[in-house]
Amino acid sequence: MSLLGTATQLGIVVATVAGLWVGARLLVDSVVRMARRFGLSEFTIGLTVVAAGTSTPELAVTIDAAIKGFGDLALANVFGSNIYNIAFVLGVVSLVRPVSIAGSILRRDGVVLLVSTLAAGVVVADLAVTRVEGGILAGLFVAYTAFLLRTDRSTDGTDATPPTQDGGVVSEGASFRGRDVGALLVGLAVVLVSGDLLIQAASALARNAGVSEWVIGGTVVAAGTSTPELAVSLVALRQRSLGVSVGNVVGSNVFNLLGVVGVAALVRPLSVSVTALETYWWLVAISLVVVVALWTGRRLSRVEGALFAGSEVTRWVLGLFA
């Protein structure tokens, strides 16, 4: 690939990352307004509708990679995005403001996060995810979401109204007709198109630079598709809606491991290299450390946040330049 070709592909990556962020922003804002009409609590909104909305880029990119036969890129995007969400997004949030969370939430959703991580490891252990395994993962995600929506009492979070990604406030009585439906459809279309272009550009760059698809998918693509999670979490924190901020991270990771991997495998069974297991164990370690830290101290300090964010920077350096 010529220098001009490389520059063009890099430009496409930058443009598509921006497209993913804008598309997810439109989608999430409209979905949150709809959800508020049904009286869902702040944390449950973060765990479900916001998490699903901000994970739409991962869903689009992973399915597109699966269809094209890039199994490594598909799964690397999921594992890399989850590591990025926990280490970098939650780390940066903790740097801005120490994160504390109710013990009841940890006992339920912290455990679900760990269980979903282990479930993904079980199906990837043989370096392949079949349609049957994908169906099981997707079914578990549907069951978990149904449980959350059924048991929600709109009282487990704060009473603060969750923010939109541009810093606005979602009105309790906002209509889900017209503008919201239009924003949702436009956002979804932008995400799908951007995801397809991002896959093509990232794959071309990986082949040209001699870097494996797994490394590119687990770093550049993963961070790109996780930009909505970072934006939502920081804006939510600024609006003092910690339930949305933390719930978004936890819910996105569960959605990625169960919903995204499950649906992608249903579309086309995935085959991955042994490198998948190395990244997976890093994901297990970072997830366990965060849950234990929250479970024991009920908070993540600024020092801990700096360590988590630093670990992600180190992973990038080792992956791209080692």
Side-chain angles (χ1 to χ4, degrees), residues 72-110:
D72 270 354
L73 194 59
L75 209 56
N77 177 48
V78 170
F79 287 175
S81 292
N82 277 24
I83 295 172
Y84 184 90
N85 286 344
I86 293 178
F88 194 79
V89 175
L90 203 55
V92 170
V93 167
S94 301
L95 278 171
V96 176
R97 180 179 301 156
V99 172
S100 59
I101 191 168
S104 60
I105 292 173
L106 275 178
R107 283 190 293 273
R108 183 189 69 184
D109 301 301

Side-chain angles (χ1 to χ4, degrees), residues 114-170:
L114 294 180
V115 170
S116 62
T117 303
L118 293 176
V122 170
V123 301
V124 177
D126 60 352
L127 304 182
V129 186
T130 66
R131 280 195 172 93
V132 172
E133 291 170 332
I136 292 173
L137 292 178
L140 289 173
F141 175 73
V142 171
Y144 171 60
T145 303
F147 170 78
L148 286 176
L149 296 177
R150 186 173 62 252
T151 58
D152 181 55
R153 294 294 182 270
S154 300
T155 56
D156 55 296
T158 66
D159 292 334
T161 303
T164 60
Q165 290 188 37
D166 58 2
V169 175
V170 178

Side-chain angles (χ1 to χ4, degrees), residues 99-115 287-300 304:
V99 172
S100 59
I101 191 168
S104 60
I105 292 173
L106 275 178
R107 283 190 293 273
R108 183 189 69 184
D109 301 301
V111 170
V112 170
L113 175 60
L114 294 180
V115 170
S287 300
L288 187 60
V289 168
V290 168
V291 172
V292 169
L294 286 171
W295 209 324
T296 55
R298 301 274 198 274
R299 63 182 282 138
L300 288 179
E304 290 169 329

Side-chain angles (χ1 to χ4, degrees), residues 210-248:
V211 178
S212 69
E213 287 179 356
W214 184 270
V215 171
I216 291 294
T219 54
V220 178
V221 177
T225 56
S226 289
T227 52
E229 282 90 340
L230 180 60
V232 167
S233 294
L234 290 177
V235 171
L237 188 66
R238 188 180 67 185
Q239 297 293 322
R240 300 184 180 277
S241 294
L242 191 59
V244 171
S245 185
V246 178
N248 172 47

